[in-house]
Every structure is written in C-alpha cells, then in structure tokens.
Amino acid sequence: MDKKQAYKKVAYYPGCALEGSGHGYNRSTKELGKKLGLELEEVKNWNCCGAMEVKNIDPKIQTYLSSRVMSIAANEMGHDVVMAPCNGCYHNLKKAEYDLTNDEGSREVTERLSSKAGHQTYQAGQVETIHALDWIKDAIGEEELAKRVKGGLKGLKIANYYGCMYTRPRHIFPEKDQGPGSESTSAPHFMDDLLAAAGAENVDFALKTACCGGAHTLSDKDTSTKLVVNILKAAEEAGAEVIATECPTCHAGLEMHQVRAEKEFGIKTNVKMMYFTQLLGVALGLSPRKVGILENASDGRAALKARQIA
Amino acid sequence: MPIHEKNLIRPENLSTHENLVIDGVDVSGDWSTFIKSRVVTDYNDDMQDEIAALPGGEFIHRCWQCGSCTNSCTVNALDPEFNPRHWIYLIRMGFEDELVRDKDLIWQCVSCNKCTYACPRDVVPEGVMKATAHWLELKGHTPKSPSTEFDEEFSSQVFRTGKIEDGRVMMNFFRRTGQPLLQPWLIAFVRRMIAGLPVSWLMKMGWATVFHPRTKGWGPAREAIEEYAKEMELKHLAAVKGASPEARFDPAK
C-alpha cells in the first residue's frame, strides 16, 4: 500500500478526551492537517473505545466498543484507514483488531453485541488503525516537513514522551519493530524524527516510555505524582525546555501532577508540556493561539517566545 | 533459601533467645535466632482457578516464576513490596492468607503493560493483577478500591451514553469515594487550565458536564452491553466461592 497516498484522507477518531481536557490536541491536529493538505473526516457518531477502564469490567465489551468505531468508518463511511491521536484509543483499536483476528470468543461477543445494537459487525482487516504520528510521518515525512517549515523550532530543547499505550504490549503492533523505517517499541523515535525535522533539538531522555500513572491519575494520586515528578525531573536534568506529548491522558497527567507536586509537596518544576501537533503547527507558522497552546494548563508561550519561535 | 520463602522470616516468625544452651553447648548470640517451623495446612486449592475465571486472569497457569514482571514493574520501582511474581506464586500455591496480607497494594497496578511486554510466557501479569484485585473484593477481603470505583463509574457512563465526559467522571468519582471536589491542587490546576481558554470552549465544556454528550441512537447498544455485562458479572460471582453479591458491578448505580 502506498501510505503516502492512503493517509492523505483518513477517518478521524478524536475520542472522548480530545473533546474534554485534550481539546488543545484536537484543535492542533485539525489545524495541522489543514496546513499540510491532509483531509480528516470525523467518524460519524462515534463512541468511547473503552479507555483503560472497561476492560477491567470485561475485555470483550471493550473489544466491541472499539470495533463499533472501526465498523462505522469502514461500513458506513467507506474508509480503510482510521487515525486516532489518543494513545488509549489507538491502543484499544489495535487491541480489538488483534483479538478479532486471533480469538474466536471475541468475535462471537462482537457479533452478538453488534447485531443487537443494529449495525454491521466489524471484520478484522477492514481498516488499518494508525496514530497521529504515523499519519504525519508517512503522509508527509521528515524531508517534506523540513521543506515546508517556516521559522521552525530554532533548536528548542525537547524531551519526547511517548508513554505506555503507544508501544506496549508489542504483539498488538505487528508493524512495529520491523527494521529501518518502522517504529521501535523499546526506543520509539517517530516524534523525535518529526520534531528534529521541524528544527528542534531532541535531548537524550531516558523516560520516553515510562509510565505517568495515567490509569490512576485520580484513584491513586500519590503514586501518579511520584511517577510524574520522575518524568519531569528527568526531562529537566536532560536540559529540556519542553516535553512533547502525543497522548491526552499523559499530557493531562503531567500537567495535573506538576501542579499537585508543587502545591502539596513543594516540588517545583518548570518544564512545559506541549502536544507534538502544537509544536509542528507553530514550526509551520501557525500561531500559538490557533494550535491551542493557550489551552494547555502548562502555558508554554514564554518558552516559545524566549527562542523567538512565535 | 529460595527467594519465595522470604515470607516465612517476617519478625513474628523469628524466635530469639538471649541465652540458649543446646546439648551442653552454649549457642547464645547469632546462633540463638531461629525461624519457627511452620506447617502449611491452610491451602486454598481453588484460588488459582477462581482468579483465572475473572477478566485478565486467564493465563496465570503459564507462569514459570522468572520474575521479568517484577523486574520491569513501574510500581515495584517505587515500592519493593509490590511484587507481581510473588503474588502469582502465592496464588498458584493456594496461600490465601499470605496473599491477603497485601490486599491494599495489589490494586495499585497502573496498567503500564511493562510486565506484559517483558513476560516470556504471555501470562499477561497486568491482567492477573486486575483479576486478583477483583477477586479480593469479591471474596470480601477488602472493600472496593478507588481504582475499581473509578472503573465502574467510567464504564457505567460509557454503557449509558456511549461516551464519557471528563468533568462528570471526576465529580462522580469523588462523590463515590467521599472526597471533596474542591481540593486545593485541583483548583490551582483548573485555574491554570482555564486561564488561557477561549470563552466558547469554556462554555462548551461546562455544557458538556451538565448535559452529558451522547452517541446518537445508542439505546440498542446500551441494552446489548448491559445485558451481556450482567451475564458476565453473574458468571464471575458463580466462579468465586463465597463471593459477595454486594461486590458485583451494577451499571445502574
């Protein structure tokens, strides 16, 4: 498949978080697509993928929820690629694809729930699910991105943070770890590649795939605060001015617990969080307002101004 | 000594004598400390099967105790007492009392999937931790953990309307767990977040919290999911001996 062509127009699955705390990610993803001439068609009347929670009630309900989104994209809209910017959504759609390919029980439950819900049952292989990183990387690529960049990121020091759900567990991402050009599950680099092409200086950051405690952001606050402080401090020690994110749960977790660490434990950190789509948007000449940087709780405008980026 | 026997040398299992003479030999000092002999009679032979019958626990039988899960564990790095390998061992051996000692830790698994990534036997230790936490609640060893309360609040919203809304999940979760909504750090966070927000977004978010966003035409899907979820919950209750029906997930709550 010619990915460059196939990803020019994709079904867009924002998910619940991008309509709430992750609105800056939603806005910047759409603006970035527009700027780069990539077309996004939102999945009609989508539902929640099940996130990190429904699987603990029953994993097959989660498979069904994710399959419904893919079924609408494939059967009602005629798409063969679904792009999900949220790590949780992306992970769950991939997991559903894996389970529907390999597990008879999951197929049976999905069939039962789909027919009762009154829509076509999703069949494994009908769509390819991709992350927003795959979308920009394959539809545009570093070379073309570097050509289109206006102003660029001027050596802004960035720690790239990918979190858990983008790479783990390996078996649900058969396209990863396939040698040159593919994403690595142990040392992911797609975001590093894109931001470097946009003029950033990526710092050597060991906690790229560490956990922020996102699943327990509210239910086990102290654990989450400790995990987040580790990440923020490691990024600062590596010299980062900004942590680039590609997941709304990680992003919100880092922001919330940065504030909590300061208010409840007196641990102050200054590194700012920005979605990679916001950074790429700014590098391409979009205003910080347009890509929703004002909407982040950690306001990174000063960091951009200091380097005369925007 | 095999590492999995370390639970036998907790302080209460040690017997120390100031002055001790055995067979005419004075062994006072280091030699006077003994580990009490312990004959295990309280096996729960059903424990592994019961946990395997709960979501996530299916593959516990595959474990060969290599310890890759604990070695890669996010929570273990913060608290060495959080030890998935050890718990899987206890479950497979049927040491219920030993497992129950850690009832307040097991639910703290953050589902980062590092263990599942590292496991050479596809045990899915992350799932086993969730199933074990669920089992402890069903058996009445512990009330529902904050994590379970969160999962249930979140899932019932999804079942009802097809979607969740951040603000509403948070408010209802705090209500369920008896926490105040106005926590100082949270107020500081929300202040920072709304400081840069366009008014239109603010209104949209407030609107969404009050008037829950829904997936159109979700009714039949809701019915199908809730019917299936109920069947599964009854199946889980039946699988665990002496399970308390109170601990069941009820999406209507």
Side-chain angles (χ1 to χ4, degrees):
Chain A
M1 182 175 65
D2 179 11
K3 288 182 175 176
K4 202 172 176 67
Q5 210 45 47
Y7 295 175
K8 284 253 184 303
K9 183 178 178 183
V10 296
Y12 177 49
Y13 176 43
C16 307
L18 268 69
E19 292 205 333
S21 57
H23 40 82
Y25 198 13
N26 198 359
R27 184 190 294 272
S28 55
T29 302
K30 288 178 179 170
E31 289 296 336
L32 185 62
K34 234 186 263 171
K35 186 81 184 169
L36 291 170
L38 304 174
E39 204 178 326
L40 294 176
E41 195 184 357
E42 189 161 325
V43 175
K44 285 178 196 153
N45 205 21
W46 50 263
N47 56 277
C48 170
C49 68
M52 308 281 291
E53 286 78 13
V54 174
K55 74 165 183 51
N56 297 334
I57 305 296
D58 189 276
K60 293 190 176 73
I61 298 179
Q62 181 138 326
T63 304
Y64 163 69
L65 290 168
S66 297
S67 83
R68 181 182 176 277
V69 174
M70 297 192 279
S71 173
I72 293 172
N75 300 317
E76 293 174 30
M77 299 167 71
H79 278 285
D80 45 22
V81 179
V82 176
M83 188 276 277
C86 167
N87 271 2
C89 298
Y90 166 70
H91 176 100
N92 283 340
L93 266 53
K94 288 292 214 188
K95 172 84 169 37
E97 184 72 37
Y98 178 85
D99 286 346
L100 292 172
T101 307
N102 296 291
D103 177 39
E104 185 56 38
S106 297
R107 282 196 290 269
E108 275 166 22
V109 173
T110 300
E111 170 67 42
R112 167 181 161 178
L113 297 181
S114 300
S115 64
K116 281 198 178 163
H119 58 83
Q120 263 180 273
T121 308
Y122 175 75
Q123 306 294 334
Q126 279 192 292
V127 297
E128 182 196 15
T129 298
I130 62 170
H131 191 271
L133 284 169
D134 300 314
W135 177 56
I136 303 294
K137 175 103 174 166
D138 289 324
I140 303 293
E142 294 98 296
E143 265 179 53
E144 200 179 329
L145 190 66
K147 272 186 229 156
R148 292 203 202 182
V149 160
K150 287 197 191 80
L153 296 173
K154 298 180 179 160
L156 182 70
K157 289 190 176 166
I158 294 181
N160 290 274
Y161 179 61
Y162 296 82
C164 301
M165 296 292 135
Y166 176 67
T167 54
R168 286 192 295 269
R170 192 199 318 260
H171 66 261
I172 66 170
F173 305 110
E175 71 285 2
K176 290 183 178 155
D177 293 333
Q178 297 301 313
S182 73
E183 183 60 297
S184 158
T185 58
S186 56
H189 53 83
F190 276 15
M191 186 155 57
D192 294 67
D193 298 346
L194 293 172
L195 291 171
E201 186 190 326
N202 295 315
V203 303
D204 193 6
F205 181 48
L207 299 187
K208 279 181 181 185
T209 64
C211 179
C212 70
H216 284 170
T217 288
L218 294 173
S219 47
D220 189 2
K221 297 192 286 276
D222 288 351
T223 299
S224 296
T225 300
K226 282 181 207 158
L227 293 171
V228 166
V229 166
N230 282 347
I231 293 164
L232 299 175
K233 286 207 159 163
E236 287 193 347
E237 276 160 24
E241 294 154 70
V242 169
I243 295 179
T245 57
E246 41 86 296
C247 168
T249 310
C250 299
H251 186 100
L254 294 179
E255 286 187 333
M256 281 172 89
H257 288 280
Q258 185 176 41
V259 176
R260 187 167 186 267
E262 188 184 323
K263 294 283 162 195
E264 302 220 338
F265 302 100
I267 304 168
K268 194 165 162 50
T269 46
N270 291 313
V271 65
K272 304 295 176 193
M273 272 61 76
M274 285 184 214
Y275 291 105
F276 85 97
T277 43
Q278 295 178 323
L279 288 161
L280 289 182
V282 170
L284 288 161
L286 296 172
S287 73
R289 177 178 285 275
K290 196 145 198 176
V291 294
I293 286 176
L294 289 74
E295 297 164 28
N296 298 347
S298 93
D299 187 348
R301 279 174 294 175
L304 296 177
K305 252 198 199 116
R307 288 195 178 257
Q308 291 158 343
I309 293 167
Chain B
M1 183 191 291
I3 190 170
H4 50 252
E5 297 299 337
K6 72 179 179 191
N7 56 63
L8 300 178
I9 48 173
R10 290 199 181 98
E12 65 268 29
N13 291 331
L14 291 178
S15 173
T16 305
H17 306 270
E18 281 295 317
N19 301 300
L20 193 64
V21 177
I22 294 177
D23 292 342
V25 180
D26 183 359
V27 293
S28 304
D30 289 342
W31 288 95
S32 59
T33 297
F34 295 89
I35 301 168
K36 284 183 190 160
S37 69
R38 178 171 174 273
V39 180
V40 181
T41 52
D42 53 349
Y43 293 103
N44 178 349
D45 289 332
D46 299 320
M47 192 156 58
Q48 179 180 337
D49 290 343
E50 290 181 0
I51 288 173
L54 300 177
E58 298 83 323
F59 303 121
I60 186 172
H61 63 279
R62 291 176 178 169
C63 176
W64 58 20
Q65 290 288 301
C66 72
S68 297
C69 49
T70 298
N71 187 41
S72 60
C73 178
T74 295
V75 185
N76 176 267
L78 298 179
D79 177 4
E81 294 297 313
F82 191 97
N83 190 340
R85 181 206 56 77
H86 179 59
W87 293 327
I88 291 173
Y89 169 76
L90 296 178
I91 294 163
R92 299 204 61 203
M93 293 299 285
F95 293 152
E96 182 167 357
D97 289 353
E98 292 291 332
L99 185 77
V100 171
R101 285 169 180 270
D102 291 333
K103 63 183 166 45
D104 298 327
L105 287 180
I106 297 172
W107 68 269
Q108 291 178 351
C109 163
V110 288
S111 295
C112 70
N113 276 322
K114 284 190 176 175
C115 52
T116 300
Y117 184 94
C119 179
R121 293 279 293 162
D122 281 344
V123 170
V124 193
E126 181 266 341
V128 175
M129 290 307 105
K130 293 293 160 186
T132 306
H134 192 185
W135 182 85
L136 288 165
E137 293 168 4
L138 285 176
K139 287 289 269 190
H141 286 308
T142 168
K144 281 181 184 174
S145 72
S147 177
T148 302
E149 294 285 3
F150 193 86
D151 290 344
E152 295 190 353
E153 173 57 34
F154 191 103
S155 299
S156 50
Q157 278 194 33
V158 175
F159 294 180
R160 253 199 317 275
T161 62
K163 290 183 180 178
I164 59 110
E165 192 278 312
D166 295 345
R168 188 179 271 241
V169 171
M170 190 166 75
M171 288 192 320
N172 288 352
F173 169 71
F174 283 163
R175 186 177 47 72
R176 273 175 182 246
T177 50
Q179 296 182 58
L181 183 60
L182 300 176
Q183 304 184 22
W185 69 276
L186 201 57
I187 296 171
F189 169 72
V190 171
R191 273 214 186 114
R192 284 192 205 178
M193 192 173 76
I194 63 178
L197 267 184
V199 178
S200 60
W201 254 105
L202 217 57
M203 286 174 59
K204 208 174 156 186
M205 283 179 73
W207 181 267
T209 305
V210 181
F211 303 97
H212 204 160
R214 308 173 165 266
T215 305
K216 272 186 220 124
W218 185 250
R222 171 186 180 174
E223 224 170 274
I225 293 171
E226 290 187 350
E227 178 196 57
Y228 173 76
K230 194 173 175 190
E231 277 173 34
M232 288 300 113
E233 286 292 326
L234 293 175
K235 209 174 125 190
H236 300 154
L237 272 184
V240 177
K241 260 186 212 161
S244 144
E246 305 281 288
R248 190 171 81 84
F249 165 54
D250 179 2
K253 251 187 198 168

